[in-house]
Amino acid sequence: MTTHLSSTRTTVRRLVALDIDGTIVDSESRVPPGTVEALDLVRAAGHEIVPATGRSLAGLLPIATRLGLTTGWSVCSNGAVTVHLNRTAPSGYDVVETRTFDATPVIRRALDVAPNVRVAVEDVGWGWRTGSQFEPGELNGRQKTVPLADLMAEPATRVALVAPGICRYTDVLRAVGITVAPQGPDWLDVTAPGVNKAVALDVVRTHLGISADRTVAVGDGINDLDMLAWAARSVAMGQAPAIVRSAAVQTTGTIDQAGVLPVLASLIPAVDRVISQLAAQIATAEQTAAGPVVLRVWHGVGPQLACCEVWTLQTGRWVRHAPIPSGIGTTMRAIEAATLEAGLAYPRGDEGRRRAQWRSVTGDGPPGFELP
């Protein structure tokens, strides 16, 4: 079903790169209240939310689901892995690019300077292969202990090196020609030369057709420095180290203060907070589209046949503007009620009269219905 609305205000589409740990999730894996609702509104405004995390893909997927981010782009493993989240894929994602390197030289050098170092090599989408057992929670995903030689047998996307004080050997390890990102005094993440979040995000930005001056990034760690330098608008979390805060254009509140929320709020028009989330998302989409808009709804079996989106008329053709996350799986009656709650025009009349005006829509998206 497609409901025609009008557009009164336009917001420029942006790529919003968000670190996960320390930015959206605290040290106890809690998401600050209001974060999911804010992310939904930012998406309804037509912006592209791109998680950019040091987590492995296996560590990203559960939190992405909690955040409602089951579609769209994500950058994992400090830029070594780029995926497209896809509800229709058997795994829930498609791996778009992996940046690999020969881990043998850096593992051998690490063993020279820290003989007791624990080594883990990422297994994309599954977890890690380790030379010795790591404690539960130290690594995202599952782990399998294998001989050290096996860890050096194939190209790797990321290697974790863990030993007391190993960060003091950062420059020594970098000398073998790889990227080393300290994650604390006792932990180093190693990726291919030139790999970081910014490099991967710029590939995503180009694919999405978003200009470099329409990029936003929020982070709190040393591994976010390149991303913050890349973004046109860079925001450091309040608890970030001084070097990170000085690298950003802005500093927001800490993770305990839900510092990401005012950043997200600045990307959307003001909406009535008393109305439902569904109504707020519809109102946000209507205000931010560049032209006349319609609300399209498809109901069916399977992830591809259940969606709620706002489309806008651009140069004579309808193009997708934004999803309405809360509209997925709801009823037509709830959609109508939310549209009216948002104060938008919606054809009135009894159900039979409305049904008589529906017409099939088969182009520019899944088959559905359009209500003039």
Side-chain angles (χ1 to χ4, degrees):
M1 179 185 72
T2 303
T3 301
H4 286 257
L5 311 172
S6 62
S7 184
T8 58
R9 175 177 171 179
T10 300
T11 295
V12 175
R13 179 170 173 248
R14 301 185 185 279
L15 187 158
V16 185
L18 300 176
D19 174 49
I20 296 295
D21 295 288
T23 298
I24 299 180
V25 177
D26 68 14
S27 59
E28 297 183 13
S29 295
R30 296 174 301 194
V31 177
T35 301
V36 174
E37 292 81 1
L39 290 171
D40 284 346
L41 288 172
V42 171
R43 293 168 62 209
H47 302 305
E48 297 286 345
I49 299 287
V50 181
T53 179
R55 289 184 177 222
S56 65
L57 175 57
L60 167 70
L61 293 173
I63 187 62
T65 298
R66 287 174 60 193
L67 296 171
L69 302 175
T70 56
T71 61
W73 295 83
S74 292
V75 169
C76 313
S77 304
N78 289 322
V81 179
T82 300
V83 300
H84 191 266
L85 301 176
N86 179 3
R87 291 195 303 266
T88 67
S91 57
Y93 62 87
D94 297 310
V95 176
V96 177
E97 185 174 9
T98 57
R99 300 165 177 87
T100 61
F101 68 106
D102 180 3
T104 302
V106 70
I107 292 176
R108 287 177 174 169
R109 182 67 63 88
L111 289 167
D112 288 341
V113 298
N116 294 324
V117 65
R118 291 181 293 155
V119 181
V121 175
E122 184 179 70
D123 190 334
V124 176
W126 185 84
W128 298 79
R129 292 176 295 120
T130 66
S132 57
Q133 191 69 24
F134 280 65
E135 293 297 321
E138 280 192 289
L139 297 170
N140 300 135
R142 294 170 284 182
Q143 59 176 294
K144 179 182 179 181
T145 303
V146 300
L148 197 60
D150 289 357
L151 299 181
M152 299 183 282
E154 298 178 2
T157 52
R158 181 168 59 145
V159 174
L161 302 173
V162 182
I166 196 170
C167 71
R168 66 179 181 270
Y169 300 115
T170 297
D171 291 339
V172 172
L173 297 173
R174 283 176 177 157
V176 304
I178 40 76
T179 300
V180 181
Q183 302 299 310
D186 305 329
W187 191 298
L188 297 175
D189 273 351
V190 180
T191 53
V195 167
N196 56 57
K197 293 182 181 183
V199 170
L201 284 167
D202 207 57
V203 173
V204 174
R205 178 193 66 77
T206 302
H207 179 86
L208 290 171
I210 296 175
S211 63
D213 63 343
R214 297 177 181 178
T215 52
V216 181
V218 188
D220 77 310
I222 300 299
N223 63 335
D224 294 319
L225 286 172
D226 293 295
M227 177 177 76
L228 294 174
W230 163 84
R233 179 187 175 191
S234 55
V235 185
M237 297 294 290
Q239 81 281 356
I243 189 174
V244 176
R245 286 184 276 115
S246 64
V249 174
Q250 300 173 248
T251 297
T252 186
T254 66
I255 180 66
D256 292 334
Q257 297 167 331
V260 75
L261 293 186
V263 181
L264 297 176
S266 70
L267 298 170
I268 57 177
V271 296
D272 188 346
R273 296 299 178 180
V274 177
I275 62 177
S276 67
Q277 274 293 300
L278 178 56
Q281 291 164 24
I282 293 172
T284 296
E286 185 270 340
Q287 291 187 50
T288 55
V293 299
V294 296
L295 181 64
R296 291 187 173 182
V297 179
W298 297 275
H299 285 171
V301 178
Q304 206 167 20
L305 291 176
C307 60
C308 184
E309 299 174 342
V310 164
W311 287 51
T312 184
L313 188 61
Q314 295 288 309
T315 60
R317 67 183 292 264
W318 291 100
V319 296
R320 180 182 180 275
H321 169 60
I324 304 297
S326 293
I328 297 175
T330 192
T331 65
M332 298 292 191
R333 185 71 71 185
I335 295 286
E336 176 179 8
T339 305
L340 294 173
E341 184 184 2
L344 304 176
Y346 191 100
R348 296 172 180 261
D350 61 46
E351 184 175 354
R353 290 177 59 190
R354 289 199 304 273
R355 286 181 181 273
Q357 298 182 68
W358 292 357
R359 67 184 181 85
S360 295
V361 177
T362 57
D364 293 327
F369 296 97
E370 180 169 308
L371 181 61

